[in-house]
Amino acid sequence: MLLAQADAPGIRPAAGPPANAMPAALQQVKFDQKLDAQLPLDAAFKDEAGKAVRLGDYFGTRPVIVAFVYYECPMLCNQILNGLVSGVGVLDQTVGSDFDVVAISFDARETPVQAAAKKATYLDRYQRPGTERGWHFLTGDEAAIKRVTDTAGFQFAWDPATQQFAH
Protein backbone atom coordinates (compact mmCIF):
# COMPACT_ATOMS: atom_id res chain seq x y z
CA MET A 1 0.00 0.00 0.00
CA LEU A 2 1.38 3.39 -0.99
CA LEU A 3 0.83 6.33 1.32
CA ALA A 4 0.50 9.84 0.06
CA GLN A 5 2.95 12.13 1.78
CA ALA A 6 0.16 13.83 3.77
CA ASP A 7 -1.02 10.40 4.94
CA ALA A 8 2.40 9.30 6.15
CA PRO A 9 2.74 8.90 9.89
CA GLY A 10 3.96 12.05 11.60
CA ILE A 11 3.34 14.30 8.59
CA ARG A 12 0.42 16.70 8.64
CA PRO A 13 -0.87 18.68 5.67
CA ALA A 14 -0.13 22.39 5.64
CA ALA A 15 -2.55 24.30 7.82
CA GLY A 16 -4.98 26.72 6.20
CA PRO A 17 -6.05 29.98 7.72
CA PRO A 18 -7.43 29.81 11.26
CA ALA A 19 -11.16 29.16 11.47
CA ASN A 20 -11.75 32.57 13.02
CA ALA A 21 -9.85 34.50 10.30
CA MET A 22 -11.97 36.75 8.13
CA PRO A 23 -11.56 36.11 4.39
CA ALA A 24 -9.75 38.92 2.58
CA ALA A 25 -12.78 40.00 0.53
CA LEU A 26 -14.91 40.34 3.67
CA GLN A 27 -12.35 42.63 5.26
CA GLN A 28 -13.37 45.26 2.68
CA VAL A 29 -17.10 44.95 3.37
CA LYS A 30 -18.75 47.45 5.68
CA PHE A 31 -21.53 49.96 5.98
CA ASP A 32 -20.51 53.37 7.25
CA GLN A 33 -23.48 55.39 8.43
CA LYS A 34 -23.50 58.73 6.66
CA LEU A 35 -26.77 60.10 7.96
CA ASP A 36 -26.29 63.63 6.61
CA ALA A 37 -25.01 62.59 3.18
CA GLN A 38 -27.14 63.22 0.12
CA LEU A 39 -26.93 60.70 -2.68
CA PRO A 40 -25.62 62.14 -5.96
CA LEU A 41 -28.94 62.60 -7.72
CA ASP A 42 -27.22 63.35 -11.02
CA ALA A 43 -25.69 59.84 -11.13
CA ALA A 44 -26.56 58.20 -14.48
CA PHE A 45 -28.10 54.72 -14.67
CA LYS A 46 -30.31 52.66 -16.94
CA ASP A 47 -33.70 51.48 -15.78
CA GLU A 48 -35.10 48.01 -16.34
CA ALA A 49 -36.32 49.03 -19.83
CA GLY A 50 -32.84 50.22 -20.82
CA LYS A 51 -33.82 53.89 -20.65
CA ALA A 52 -31.16 56.35 -19.46
CA VAL A 53 -32.20 57.82 -16.11
CA ARG A 54 -30.69 59.89 -13.32
CA LEU A 55 -31.01 58.77 -9.72
CA GLY A 56 -32.78 62.05 -9.00
CA ASP A 57 -35.62 61.05 -11.35
CA TYR A 58 -36.98 58.99 -8.46
CA PHE A 59 -36.70 61.62 -5.74
CA GLY A 60 -38.75 64.67 -4.91
CA THR A 61 -42.36 63.52 -5.07
CA ARG A 62 -42.55 60.56 -2.66
CA PRO A 63 -40.32 58.90 -0.06
CA VAL A 64 -37.84 56.42 -1.56
CA ILE A 65 -36.43 53.16 -0.24
CA VAL A 66 -33.02 52.43 -1.79
CA ALA A 67 -31.62 48.89 -1.84
CA PHE A 68 -28.09 48.07 -2.98
CA VAL A 69 -28.18 44.58 -4.47
CA TYR A 70 -26.95 42.68 -7.46
CA TYR A 71 -29.48 40.79 -9.49
CA GLU A 72 -27.52 37.56 -10.02
CA CYS A 73 -26.52 37.25 -6.37
CA PRO A 74 -26.91 33.63 -5.27
CA MET A 75 -27.58 34.44 -1.62
CA LEU A 76 -27.97 37.69 0.31
CA CYS A 77 -29.49 40.06 -2.24
CA ASN A 78 -32.51 37.87 -2.83
CA GLN A 79 -33.00 37.73 0.93
CA ILE A 80 -32.81 41.53 1.10
CA LEU A 81 -35.39 41.91 -1.66
CA ASN A 82 -37.61 39.16 -0.21
CA GLY A 83 -37.56 40.90 3.16
CA LEU A 84 -38.24 44.24 1.53
CA VAL A 85 -41.28 42.98 -0.38
CA SER A 86 -42.57 41.24 2.77
CA GLY A 87 -42.07 44.39 4.82
CA VAL A 88 -43.79 46.75 2.42
CA GLY A 89 -46.49 44.14 1.77
CA VAL A 90 -47.95 44.58 5.25
CA LEU A 91 -48.17 48.36 5.00
CA ASP A 92 -51.38 50.22 4.24
CA GLN A 93 -49.32 52.44 1.93
CA THR A 94 -48.56 51.20 -1.57
CA VAL A 95 -45.38 51.26 -3.64
CA GLY A 96 -45.93 53.56 -6.60
CA SER A 97 -48.54 55.79 -5.03
CA ASP A 98 -47.23 56.45 -1.51
CA PHE A 99 -43.50 55.72 -1.91
CA ASP A 100 -41.01 54.23 -4.37
CA VAL A 101 -38.45 51.44 -4.17
CA VAL A 102 -35.19 51.83 -6.09
CA ALA A 103 -32.93 48.79 -6.32
CA ILE A 104 -29.46 49.67 -7.59
CA SER A 105 -27.24 46.87 -8.84
CA PHE A 106 -23.67 47.27 -7.67
CA ASP A 107 -22.46 44.83 -10.35
CA ALA A 108 -21.53 46.95 -13.38
CA ARG A 109 -21.72 43.84 -15.59
CA GLU A 110 -25.47 43.50 -15.06
CA THR A 111 -27.90 44.61 -17.73
CA PRO A 112 -31.39 46.08 -17.99
CA VAL A 113 -32.59 42.62 -19.10
CA GLN A 114 -31.53 41.20 -15.72
CA ALA A 115 -33.06 44.19 -13.96
CA ALA A 116 -36.36 43.66 -15.82
CA ALA A 117 -36.45 39.99 -14.81
CA LYS A 118 -35.85 40.89 -11.17
CA LYS A 119 -38.53 43.57 -11.31
CA ALA A 120 -41.03 41.08 -12.75
CA THR A 121 -40.28 38.67 -9.90
CA TYR A 122 -40.90 41.24 -7.20
CA LEU A 123 -43.98 42.78 -8.81
CA ASP A 124 -45.42 39.27 -8.91
CA ARG A 125 -44.62 38.78 -5.22
CA TYR A 126 -45.99 42.16 -4.18
CA GLN A 127 -49.32 41.58 -5.91
CA ARG A 128 -50.69 45.13 -5.85
CA PRO A 129 -52.05 46.56 -9.07
CA GLY A 130 -50.41 49.63 -10.56
CA THR A 131 -47.20 49.35 -8.57
CA GLU A 132 -44.93 48.88 -11.58
CA ARG A 133 -44.47 52.66 -11.71
CA GLY A 134 -42.99 52.63 -8.19
CA TRP A 135 -40.57 49.70 -8.36
CA HIS A 136 -37.33 50.61 -10.15
CA PHE A 137 -34.39 48.31 -10.84
CA LEU A 138 -31.30 50.16 -12.06
CA THR A 139 -27.99 49.19 -13.63
CA GLY A 140 -25.00 51.41 -14.23
CA ASP A 141 -21.33 51.70 -14.94
CA GLU A 142 -18.66 51.35 -12.26
CA ALA A 143 -18.19 55.09 -11.83
CA ALA A 144 -21.88 55.79 -11.13
CA ILE A 145 -22.20 52.78 -8.85
CA LYS A 146 -19.08 53.73 -6.88
CA ARG A 147 -20.24 57.32 -6.52
CA VAL A 148 -23.59 56.32 -5.08
CA THR A 149 -22.41 53.44 -2.89
CA ASP A 150 -19.46 55.45 -1.52
CA THR A 151 -21.77 58.35 -0.67
CA ALA A 152 -24.14 55.97 1.11
CA GLY A 153 -21.27 54.24 2.93
CA PHE A 154 -21.97 50.84 1.34
CA GLN A 155 -18.67 49.02 0.79
CA PHE A 156 -18.46 45.73 -1.11
CA ALA A 157 -15.71 43.75 -2.84
CA TRP A 158 -15.38 41.18 -5.61
CA ASP A 159 -14.09 37.85 -4.29
CA PRO A 160 -12.16 36.07 -7.05
CA ALA A 161 -12.09 32.82 -5.07
CA THR A 162 -15.89 32.50 -5.05
CA GLN A 163 -16.59 34.58 -8.18
CA GLN A 164 -19.12 36.57 -6.16
CA PHE A 165 -19.37 39.93 -4.46
CA ALA A 166 -18.77 40.01 -0.73
CA HIS A 167 -21.33 42.41 0.70
Side-chain angles (χ1 to χ4, degrees), residues 3 5 14 52 57 88 96-97 114 119 121 128 132 136:
L3 294 176
Q5 186 175 9
D57 294 346
V88 300
S97 58
Q114 292 164 306
K119 178 175 181 169
T121 297
R128 292 197 192 178
E132 63 280 346
H136 312 284

Side-chain angles (χ1 to χ4, degrees), residues 105-111 139-143 145 165:
S105 173
F106 55 85
D107 184 347
R109 301 168 302 172
E110 292 191 322
T111 67
T139 57
D141 64 25
E142 272 189 60
I145 292 166
F165 283 97

Side-chain angles (χ1 to χ4, degrees), residues 11-79:
I11 297 177
R12 294 192 309 210
N20 64 349
M22 185 179 294
L26 287 178
Q27 293 175 15
Q28 301 173 55
V29 174
K30 61 183 174 176
F31 188 80
D32 295 322
Q33 288 190 2
K34 296 184 176 182
L35 300 178
D36 292 332
Q38 180 173 334
L39 294 178
L41 300 181
D42 63 336
F45 290 93
K46 288 190 177 178
D47 70 8
E48 62 278 347
K51 177 183 161 197
V53 297
R54 301 266 177 223
L55 186 57
D57 294 346
Y58 306 104
F59 288 78
T61 57
R62 300 185 282 259
V64 179
I65 297 172
V66 176
F68 296 113
V69 296
Y70 74 105
Y71 305 132
E72 297 299 320
C73 178
M75 296 171 36
L76 284 178
C77 295
N78 289 327
Q79 296 306 316

Side-chain angles (χ1 to χ4, degrees), residues 147-165:
R147 227 175 122 212
V148 173
T149 56
D150 282 355
T151 300
F154 179 78
Q155 303 297 317
F156 58 95
W158 177 252
D159 181 6
T162 62
Q163 295 293 294
Q164 298 175 36
F165 283 97

